[in-house]
Amino acid sequence: MRRTLAIIAATAATLALLVRDPAASSSAATLDRLAKTIANEEDHVTPEELEQWIKQKKTLRLIDVRSKEEFAKNHAANAESIPMDQIASAPFKSAETIVLLSEGGAHAAQAWVILQMRGFRSVYFLRNGTSGRRYEPGRDGC
Amino acid sequence: MTALLIGIAFGFALERAGLGDSRKLAGQFYFTDLTVFKVMFTAIVTAMLGVFWLARLGVVDLANISVPETYLLPQLLGGLIFGAGFVAAGLCPGTSCVSAATGRADGLAVVLGMFTGVLLCGAADLGGAALYSATPRGSETLPQLLHVPYGVVVFAVVAMALTMFMLAERIRTAS
């Protein structure tokens, strides 16, 4: 029995050398999923939605990806500073809901892609950034 | 619910393999009983081949498999503490739960000690966030780290496991 299992394992491992890398098709599937998420507008939150989330979601983290200097000048209440150059290695938990903030929204959207590629699914960015018409940094609860 | 069922199945498999017995586990460190090595490597080979071929056949999407992130320094430190506790107690977290569930007093003592340690460590915030997030490496897998195709890593690990199984069998028959 043990010899049979060893032969099966050795055969399956040898064949693994010969077939196409499944990680390659997985990468394509990941890009496809990201594209669909963006197309369905499931990648961002509006200021109104964010206000609701702040009240409802206990595991919410507001991450400001601007520089430390910009963060020191003004920032949203309860926001944490993780500058763009640290977003690829900053520790997050998969159970957390992460909302990314930046001034115009572009850097937050780029950080969204990085965190998605790191495997975090519950990640969003604030539409139009902190300079958006309805968003007021430092406002109570936001 | 899925986690509960997998946990029960895992505990059942550990007990069936005899890994609820601290003497059997301690034997691994003195090379007098290589059951732990054989059970764990069998699990690694089974999971590795299973994930590879299920992904290759399109049943599993690798992107949906969560790979824990690596933080070298805190995980090395945690590994040392884990290893020291493993040698001292003769049980690791999983096997201590199995041992306690089967009514062994040493298993129960290890479970109580483990949870007390976790509670005290968490309350004291030893090291703080700076230590826990030091030396981040991201969600690296062996193919990414070694820059070799996934299939090569699968072949190498299975070859290594089968070779070690043969050596373990020779050690067992020689002793």
Side-chain angles (χ1 to χ4, degrees):
Chain A
M1 182 63 180
R2 280 184 292 181
R3 185 179 294 263
T4 309
L5 288 174
I7 290 169
I8 291 170
T11 307
T14 306
L15 289 173
L17 282 173
L18 307 173
V19 299
R20 195 161 59 89
D21 193 336
S25 54
S26 175
S27 300
T30 301
L31 293 176
D32 187 50
R33 180 181 58 77
L34 291 184
K36 282 180 178 150
T37 305
I38 295 167
N40 293 334
E41 304 210 347
E42 292 165 353
D43 55 345
H44 61 261
V45 287
T46 61
E48 293 80 10
E49 286 171 324
L50 182 55
E51 279 181 39
Q52 288 299 313
W53 285 15
I54 288 169
K55 291 173 190 162
Q56 294 167 355
K57 291 181 185 277
K58 287 191 167 52
T59 57
L60 184 71
R61 282 179 74 184
L62 296 180
I63 306 297
D64 192 324
V65 299
R66 296 176 302 157
S67 67
K68 292 280 185 193
E69 292 75 26
E70 287 172 304
F71 184 82
K73 281 181 193 165
N74 70 328
H75 61 264
N78 300 325
E80 302 169 47
S81 174
I82 301 181
M84 194 65 184
D85 60 353
Q86 294 171 22
I87 208 77
S89 58
F92 295 102
K93 292 179 181 145
S94 54
E96 293 169 338
T97 300
I98 301 161
V99 174
L100 300 157
L101 311 172
S102 68
E103 192 172 350
H107 271 161
Q110 290 161 341
W112 177 87
V113 175
I114 292 169
L115 291 189
Q116 286 284 336
M117 296 304 284
R118 282 179 63 186
F120 296 105
R121 295 285 180 270
S122 198
V123 182
Y124 308 86
F125 63 90
L126 180 67
R127 187 171 213 169
N128 298 326
T130 53
S131 61
R133 184 171 57 86
R134 301 285 306 272
Y135 189 81
E136 298 168 28
R139 194 173 67 186
D140 286 347
C142 194
Chain B
M1 192 59 182
T2 307
L4 180 68
L5 290 174
I6 291 174
I8 290 171
F10 181 59
F12 179 77
L14 285 180
E15 173 57 22
R16 288 288 297 151
L19 300 190
D21 183 351
S22 57
R23 280 167 296 192
K24 193 175 261 298
L25 272 83
Q28 177 65 50
F29 296 107
Y30 303 102
F31 299 105
T32 53
D33 190 329
L34 299 177
T35 305
V36 176
F37 164 78
K38 287 192 275 190
V39 169
M40 289 306 165
F41 248 96
T42 301
I44 290 168
V45 166
T46 305
M48 190 172 230
L49 286 171
V51 169
F52 180 91
W53 281 105
L54 288 175
R56 185 64 198 88
L57 298 171
V59 180
V60 166
D61 182 359
L62 290 176
N64 289 331
I65 296 178
S66 173
V67 180
E69 297 196 53
T70 300
Y71 294 89
L72 272 181
L73 182 66
Q75 286 172 351
L76 278 172
L77 191 62
L80 280 173
I81 296 170
F82 177 92
F86 197 165
V87 174
L91 293 163
C92 66
T95 53
S96 65
C97 291
V98 170
S99 182
T102 51
R104 293 182 174 95
D106 57 346
L108 193 61
V110 173
V111 169
L112 286 174
M114 185 172 65
F115 280 110
T116 306
V118 168
L119 193 67
L120 290 176
C121 187
D125 192 23
L126 294 176
L131 173 64
Y132 298 144
S133 59
T135 55
R137 298 294 301 263
S139 295
E140 274 187 330
T141 59
L142 281 175
Q144 291 163 347
L145 184 68
L146 303 172
H147 300 289
V148 294
Y150 190 179
V152 173
V153 172
V154 169
F155 179 80
V157 171
V158 172
M160 183 173 68
L162 293 179
T163 307
M164 295 300 283
F165 285 160
M166 282 192 286
L167 284 174
E169 201 56 28
R170 285 192 183 180
I171 290 171
R172 191 183 69 84
T173 50
S175 60

